[in-house]
């Protein structure tokens, strides 16, 4: 007998199926019998309730008739109430006014036995029967109502008569308890079950009680709920469960006894499996027979041999992959050089999949995929010189990689030489995986690199010609997805890093550099000027009476003025100049390769640009008139460090404020700082680079006013309050003075053209002029 036969014989001994079916039959039968008996009890109780209420209504109707037929209704009502035939009698006239009411009459509403009357607005207080009161001629004189109190005693009498628990409902919608003989433990469950009934059907609660609603209906106007407990034995289900468990234990014991004889080969197999699970791939199982267990042992031995060879290959691949991932992790953690990161990712992907060539392409503006780095693509181009290096550029939606970027679906397969898409390299097999920002998707063809959800699609990772295999498989596709995910995270991290670096160095309102970058830039520019023997001008700018603008027009208008002033500043300086917002309405300009005279020209232009064009502020009737005061200091004339030059420019700014505002002043040369004059030939000659240079130290000739002769004339625009005494410098007959007009970086000293503007951003990137 085979193992299958022995196991079949063992399981036939197990009789759990019949035992379970018998237990279910007994349980269902007991439940059906219990429900039938409870339904019958509730039907008898409902009939008894109708009979009792109807008898009471008949008694009340007879009492009301006796009062109505008596010549003295009041006396008759008093006599009948005293005899206990009714709890109260109330007589009303044809207008509804009460002409007589028994003492101690129950409060309204009274439930009319005929199903009409005062039944709304609260619980039922009494059950009443009404008859018409007429005179001997038959004319209607009013009505007589005889009532019986509906109280806990009344409900208790009903429960005693019917032998079931009775609950009288009352209130809005008859969903509240008026009187009840139910215990508090089961009352809520009974009411919930009764609320789900829309007729006199029977339902069961979770506590094991059967519930039925009775009335209101013709002849029984009271809304009642009847319930009886279940008559099932309390331990029925527990007894059945115990019997099933006992039968199961006996069956298991029998099956274990039978299986013990047949499981010796399985024990040997389990022992070998345990050894394999702990890493011993040399474990083997003896083949003792040719039945199913013998075939299983032979298959197990063959599986362990093949698994050993696979593990050896996987260990080698794992060590290699660990090395690539270590390099990739170190690169991602130590640099923000995007090209280097993508090269490492591409090299790791090629090594992990065994490809001969590959490329990482990113989506550029206009929907063009361009290779950022590639490997092994030389000599694979179908057109052109095979030795000439070419760049892989494919429009989104065109070719293999273009389709991958457009659809967001990876592709792999084989490509014939005649099927190579234009612009892509020759290959026999290929695999391409798209990647986007985390959570993003590839963009459709023809877009500019942004999908409908606003997520930037990054590009495609493509590999060509797998070594030692015909095509790339699904495992290679999964591996490539991993590296594509690293590429997406790397690109996004680099972009976020650059954006964060830019935001940390710029002022959010004006877009100019902030004070933090000012400290770094002035130190760098002073070091550069000192190293190359050049000059550096520093301009400190302050909007005059800017507090009045905020107080008059509000801070929103002040922000508009500051933003517009920053835009005009960017429009008046060169690309190499740096503009900063130092704080509030204070700004600083760094003008490399510029002497004091060139800085004065810039200061005049800035003053005119602000003064001559008032700033329009939205939501105000007229433009806002503002002016600017400027302080000028030059390295190395006014300081030997960036901090000293900046302080000198601040001192000059205060001097310009003191001179009446809307002007500029050049800082005074400090006594402890040797002044330097710029030697300029009298002829039409300039240094080869056209840039001003700090000359050899010479003794500055000071005028009685304390200013060095080498300084440009300190002045203000002709329209300023300071008057003509501070007019802008005029041309003189001194060639050296005339040459000083061009000292501000040669041709760049003139008003900047369309390509000019202040620079901003890290490294430092350039900032647009904003015009």
């Amino acid at each position: 007998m085979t193992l299958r036969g022995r196991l079949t014989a063992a399981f036939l001994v197990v009789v759990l199926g019949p035992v379970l079916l018998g237990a279910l039959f007994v349980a269902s039968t007991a439940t059906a019998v219990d429900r039938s008996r409870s339904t019958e009890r509730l039907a008898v109780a409902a009939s008894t309730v109708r009979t009792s209420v109807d008898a009471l209504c008949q008694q009340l109707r007879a009492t009301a008739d006796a009062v109505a037929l008596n010549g003295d209704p009041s006396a008759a009502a008093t006599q009948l109430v005293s005899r206990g035939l009714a709890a109260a009698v109330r007589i009303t006239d044809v207008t509804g006014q009460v002409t007589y009411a028994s003492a101690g009459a129950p409060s309204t509403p009274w439930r009319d036995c005929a199903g009409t009357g005062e039944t709304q607005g609260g619980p039922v207080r009494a059950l009443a029967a009404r008859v018409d009161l007429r005179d001997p001629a038959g004319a209607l004189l009013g009505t007589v109502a005889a009532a019986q109190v509906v109280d806990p005693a009344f409900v208790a009498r009903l429960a005693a008569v019917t032998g079931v628990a009775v609950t009288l409902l009352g209130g809005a919608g008859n969903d509240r308890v008026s009187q009840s003989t139910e215990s508090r433990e089961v009352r809520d469950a009974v009411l919930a079950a009764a609320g789900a009934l829309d007729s006199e059907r029977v339902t069961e609660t979770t506590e094991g009680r059967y519930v039925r609603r009775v009335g209101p209906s013709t002849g029984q106007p009271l809304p009642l709920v009847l319930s009886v407990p279940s008559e099932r034995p309390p331990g029925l289900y527990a007894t059945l469960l115990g019997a099933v468990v006992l039968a199961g234990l006996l069956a298991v014991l029998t099956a274990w006894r039978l299986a013990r004889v047949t499981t010796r080969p399985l024990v040997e197999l389990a022992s070998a499996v345990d050894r394999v699970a702990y890493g011993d791939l040399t474990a083997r199982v003896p083949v003792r027979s040719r039945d199913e267990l013998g075939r299983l042992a032979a298959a197990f031995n063959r599986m362990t041999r093949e698994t050993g060879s696979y593990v050896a290959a996987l260990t080698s691949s794992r060590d290699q992959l660990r090395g690539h991932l270590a390099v990739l992790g170190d690169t991602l953690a130590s640099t923000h050089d995007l090209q280097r990161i993508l090269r490492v990712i591409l090299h790791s992907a090629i090594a992990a999949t065994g490809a001969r060539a590959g490329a990482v392409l990113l989506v550029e503006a206009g929907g063009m995929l361009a290779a950022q780095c590639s490997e092994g693509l030389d000599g694979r181009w179908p057109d052109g010189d095979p030795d000439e290096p070419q760049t892989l550029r494919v429009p989104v939606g065109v070719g293999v990689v273009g389709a991958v970027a457009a659809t967001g679906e990876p592709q792999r397969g084989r490509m014939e030489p005649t099927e190579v898409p234009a612009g892509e390299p020759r290959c026999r097999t290929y695999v391409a995986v798209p990647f986007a920002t985390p959570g993003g998707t590839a963009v459709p063809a023809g877009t500019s690199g942004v999908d409908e959800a606003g997520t930037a699609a990054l590009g495609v990772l493509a590999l060509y010609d797998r070594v030692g295999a015909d095509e790339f498989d699904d495992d290679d596709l999964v591996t490539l997805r991993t590296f594509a995910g690293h590429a997406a995270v790397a690109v996004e991290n680099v972009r976020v890093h650059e954006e964060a670096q830019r935001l940390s160095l710029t002022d959010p309102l004006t877009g100019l550099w902030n004070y933090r970058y000012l400290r770094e830039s002035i130190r760098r520019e002073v070091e550069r000027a000192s190293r190359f023997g050049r000059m550096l001008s520093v301009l400190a700018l302050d909007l005059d009476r800017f507090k009045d603008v905020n107080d008059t027009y509000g801070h929103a208008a002040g922000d508009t003025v500051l933003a517009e002033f920053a835009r005009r500043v960017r429009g008046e300086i060169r690309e190499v100049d740096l503009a900063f917002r130092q704080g509030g309405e204070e700004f600083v300009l760094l003008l490399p390769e510029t002497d004091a005279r060139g800085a004065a020209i810039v200061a005049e232009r800035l003053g005119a640009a602000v003064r001559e064009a008032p700033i329009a502020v939205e939501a105000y009737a007229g433009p806002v008139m503002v002016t600017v005061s400027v302080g000028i200091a030059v390295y190395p004339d006014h300081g030997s460090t960036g901090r000293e030059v900046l302080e000198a420019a601040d001192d000059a700014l205060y001097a310009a404020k003191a001179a009446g505002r809307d002007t500029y002043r050049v800082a005074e040369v400090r006594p402890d700082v040797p002044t330097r004059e710029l030697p300029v030939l009298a002829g039409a000659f300039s240094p080869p680079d056209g840039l001003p240079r700090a000359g050899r130290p010479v003794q500055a000739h000071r005028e009685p006013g304390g200013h060095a002769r080498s300084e440009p004339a300190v002045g203000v625009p002709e329209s300023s309050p300071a008057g003509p005494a501070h007019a802008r410098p005029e041309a003189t007959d001194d060639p050296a003075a005339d040459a000083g007009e061009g000292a501000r970086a040669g041709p760049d000293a003139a008003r900047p053209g369309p390509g000019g503007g202040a620079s901003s951003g890290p490294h430092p990137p350039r900032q647009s002029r904003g015009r």
Side-chain angles (χ1 to χ4, degrees):
M1 187 176 183
T2 63
L3 175 63
R4 179 179 300 175
R6 292 193 297 270
L7 291 177
T8 302
F11 285 116
L12 287 177
V13 179
V14 180
V15 291
L16 287 180
V19 171
L20 289 175
L21 291 176
L24 292 176
F25 176 77
V26 171
S28 61
T29 301
T31 301
V33 171
D34 179 57
R35 182 179 181 88
S36 176
R37 295 185 62 183
S38 299
T39 302
E40 183 178 356
R41 287 183 61 191
L42 289 175
V44 173
S47 177
T48 304
V49 166
R50 291 192 186 94
T51 302
S52 300
V53 173
D54 183 66
L56 179 60
C57 287
Q58 293 293 338
Q59 176 183 328
L60 293 175
R61 192 173 293 108
T63 302
D65 286 337
V67 172
L69 295 175
N70 194 285
D72 188 0
S74 300
T78 303
Q79 182 180 6
L80 292 174
V81 169
S82 63
R83 292 173 59 185
L85 297 178
V89 174
R90 185 172 61 182
I91 303 174
T92 59
D93 57 16
V94 292
T95 62
Q97 296 294 325
V98 177
T99 60
Y100 172 81
S102 302
S107 59
T108 57
W110 291 1
R111 177 78 69 167
D112 197 329
C113 288
T116 61
E118 302 175 11
T119 60
Q120 291 80 21
V124 178
R125 303 298 184 186
L127 187 64
R130 290 177 171 82
V131 297
D132 294 334
L133 178 64
R134 300 180 183 273
D135 60 8
L140 181 65
L141 300 178
T143 59
V144 177
Q148 182 66 43
V149 177
V150 177
D151 55 4
F154 176 80
V155 175
R157 288 195 298 272
L158 285 179
V161 170
T162 58
V164 298
V166 180
T167 299
L168 174 64
L169 301 179
N174 290 335
D175 58 353
R176 296 182 181 178
V177 176
S178 178
Q179 308 293 338
S180 178
T181 61
E182 295 281 2
S183 63
R184 293 183 178 273
E185 292 77 9
V186 300
R187 182 181 301 172
D188 293 338
V190 169
L191 291 177
L197 296 176
D198 55 358
S199 62
E200 295 187 354
R201 294 184 295 106
V202 176
T203 185
E204 186 177 5
T205 67
T206 56
E207 283 75 12
R209 297 185 69 86
Y210 291 91
V211 181
R212 175 175 176 172
R213 294 190 66 161
V214 179
S217 61
T218 303
Q220 204 292 96
L222 299 179
L224 300 175
V225 176
L226 309 181
S227 71
V228 294
S230 173
E231 297 182 357
R232 285 192 302 269
L236 175 63
Y237 293 145
T239 302
L240 292 176
L241 180 62
V244 171
V245 171
L246 180 61
L249 291 176
L250 292 176
V252 169
L253 181 62
T254 303
W256 173 81
R257 183 67 180 175
L258 293 176
R260 184 179 180 183
V261 181
T262 61
T263 54
R264 179 182 177 186
L266 292 177
V267 171
E268 297 175 345
L269 180 61
S271 177
V273 169
D274 289 338
R275 292 172 58 188
V276 171
Y278 285 102
D280 184 9
L281 296 179
T282 62
R284 298 293 182 268
V285 179
V287 180
R288 302 183 182 276
S289 63
R290 296 181 177 274
D291 59 6
E292 288 83 352
L293 283 179
R295 292 160 54 191
L296 179 62
F300 175 82
N301 295 336
R302 184 170 60 255
M303 180 189 66
T304 53
R305 287 193 298 269
E306 295 179 359
T307 302
S309 61
Y310 288 153
V311 168
L314 289 175
T315 302
S316 177
S317 299
R318 180 199 61 189
D319 295 340
Q320 185 179 12
L321 185 58
R322 281 179 177 176
H324 291 300
L325 291 178
V327 173
L328 178 59
D330 293 340
T331 304
L332 292 176
S334 62
T335 181
H336 287 96
D337 184 354
L338 181 59
Q339 294 296 326
R340 179 183 174 188
I341 294 175
L342 294 182
R343 283 195 301 271
V344 172
I345 290 175
L346 177 60
H347 179 73
S348 301
I350 290 176
T353 58
R356 296 181 183 274
V360 179
L361 302 92
L362 298 183
V363 177
E364 297 180 342
M368 181 66 70
L369 279 168
Q372 302 299 313
C373 62
S374 60
E375 184 173 335
L377 296 184
D378 295 342
R380 291 178 174 268
W381 304 102
D383 302 327
D385 187 357
D387 297 330
E388 181 181 354
Q390 297 187 26
T391 301
L392 179 57
R393 293 179 62 85
V394 180
V396 173
V398 177
V400 174
V401 294
V404 170
T407 62
E409 297 294 333
Q411 292 188 15
R412 63 182 179 89
R414 178 178 295 275
M415 185 181 299
E416 299 298 332
T418 57
E419 299 174 354
V420 177
E424 297 192 32
R426 289 192 300 262
C427 64
R428 295 189 304 275
T429 59
Y430 66 89
V431 59
V433 175
F435 58 90
T437 52
T441 56
V443 296
T447 61
S448 59
V450 179
D451 64 3
E452 295 178 357
T455 303
L458 298 183
V460 178
L461 176 58
L463 300 182
Y464 303 99
D465 292 344
R466 181 181 179 187
V467 177
D470 293 336
E471 294 185 11
F472 293 94
D473 53 24
D474 292 337
D475 293 337
D476 296 325
L477 196 61
V478 173
T479 302
L480 204 59
R481 283 182 182 272
T482 302
F483 286 103
H486 287 308
V489 173
V491 174
E492 185 67 14
N493 287 344
V494 169
R495 291 178 178 177
V496 171
H497 172 75
E498 292 177 351
E499 179 66 12
Q501 189 175 10
R502 184 189 68 81
L503 292 176
S504 68
L505 299 177
T506 57
D507 175 58
L509 176 62
T510 62
L512 302 180
W513 300 114
N514 57 20
Y515 180 70
R516 173 185 175 186
Y517 194 56
L518 170 62
R519 294 182 299 176
E520 176 185 344
S521 299
I522 196 170
R523 176 189 57 79
R524 184 179 63 246
E525 294 298 334
V526 166
E527 290 178 357
R528 182 183 292 118
S530 175
R531 182 163 58 251
F532 295 105
R534 308 286 175 81
M535 288 186 173
L536 171 67
S537 291
V538 179
L539 275 65
L541 296 78
D542 187 273
L543 292 176
D544 299 326
R545 297 184 177 88
F546 184 72
K547 184 177 183 300
D548 296 342
V549 175
N550 283 334
D551 295 343
T552 304
Y553 303 100
H555 288 278
D559 292 344
T560 301
V561 171
L562 291 175
E564 175 60 19
F565 175 71
R567 188 190 69 80
R568 297 184 185 184
V569 167
R570 289 194 296 266
E572 297 297 334
I573 61 178
R574 304 168 301 175
E575 181 72 18
V576 297
D577 298 334
L578 299 175
F580 306 86
R581 183 186 180 192
Q582 191 172 10
E585 68 273 21
E586 298 178 359
F587 298 82
V588 174
L589 299 181
L590 299 184
L591 310 180
E593 320 290 356
T594 305
D595 58 9
R597 189 169 185 82
I601 295 173
V602 174
E604 288 181 351
R605 286 209 307 263
L606 290 174
V610 176
R611 182 189 321 107
E612 296 172 0
I615 299 176
V617 177
E618 186 176 357
Y620 291 97
V624 178
M625 301 289 296
V626 294
T627 57
V628 62
S629 298
V630 184
I632 302 174
V634 180
Y635 172 85
D637 292 346
H638 303 119
S640 58
T641 64
R643 180 175 181 179
E644 292 177 356
V645 178
L646 187 59
E647 290 177 352
D650 285 338
D651 294 340
L653 174 61
Y654 295 145
K657 291 282 188 181
R661 298 182 176 84
D662 194 16
T663 184
Y664 70 88
R665 287 292 184 270
V666 179
E668 296 184 358
V669 178
R670 300 183 182 182
D672 57 342
V673 178
T675 60
R676 300 181 181 180
E677 292 186 350
L678 183 65
V680 180
L681 298 180
F685 177 80
S686 61
D689 55 5
L691 302 178
R693 299 180 182 275
R696 289 173 297 179
V698 297
Q699 184 64 36
H701 300 283
R702 294 185 175 275
E703 298 178 356
H707 295 285
R709 189 182 66 186
S710 61
E711 290 184 353
V714 178
V716 296
E718 295 178 359
S719 60
S720 68
H726 297 284
R728 66 172 62 187
E730 298 179 355
T732 64
D733 295 333
D734 186 0
D738 293 338
E741 290 286 350
R744 187 175 182 267
D748 288 335
R751 187 182 186 88
S759 90
S760 66
H763 308 217
R766 299 299 180 185
Q767 165 179 306
S768 64
R769 298 176 53 184
R771 336 188 221 183

